[in-house]
Amino acid sequence: LSIVAGVNYQPQDWFINPEATYGSGLSNGHPEDVSIYKTGLFDFNQAAHTTPYWIFNLSAGHTFHLEGGSSFEPSIYITNLLDHIHLIKGAYTTGASWEEPRNVVFKVAVRI
């Protein structure tokens, strides 16, 4: 189970985009850990999965208007804000991999 929620707030000349991702955890590969395996919609069978996780991402920026119609826009993008380490499913394989650690990107756009 994965749930992603985000908000894009963009008033004049600036933006902020918080995003949250919840994952119920991958199968841990140990079916003997499950004494009763339930099949209901909200039965997550935690004994057979890795620990659930929350990942928070955040981006924000502001546009400064300069003379002559030019603009200067610094922005910041932060993924895995709390640097939460957990297992995720690999993109091209069936094996698990570790979530990317916190990543901070500063971007500056100059429009002439």
Side-chain angles (χ1 to χ4, degrees):
L1 171 72
S2 294
I3 299 171
V4 178
V7 175
N8 181 15
Y9 183 64
Q10 192 170 355
Q12 185 176 357
D13 295 336
W14 64 281
F15 71 91
I16 186 165
N17 299 51
E19 178 185 275
T21 303
Y22 169 79
S24 61
L26 293 172
S27 172
N28 64 12
H30 298 286
E32 64 276 3
D33 290 344
V34 182
S35 57
I36 300 173
Y37 196 78
K38 298 179 182 177
T39 58
L41 179 62
F42 296 104
D43 294 324
F44 298 135
N45 299 303
Q46 187 57 44
H49 290 84
T50 58
T51 305
Y53 62 88
W54 280 97
I55 296 296
F56 298 99
N57 301 322
L58 179 66
S59 59
H62 187 277
T63 301
F64 297 94
H65 298 283
L66 307 174
E67 292 181 24
S70 298
S71 65
F72 173 77
E73 182 180 302
S75 54
I76 185 170
Y77 301 86
I78 305 171
T79 58
N80 199 357
L81 185 67
L82 303 177
D83 205 20
H84 183 78
I85 298 173
H86 66 282
L87 289 172
I88 59 174
K89 181 168 175 48
Y92 300 104
T93 65
T94 57
S97 62
W98 292 103
E99 172 72 35
E100 181 179 319
R102 181 184 306 119
N103 189 17
V104 179
V105 175
F106 292 101
K107 177 182 169 187
V108 176
V110 178
R111 295 177 182 87
I112 300 173

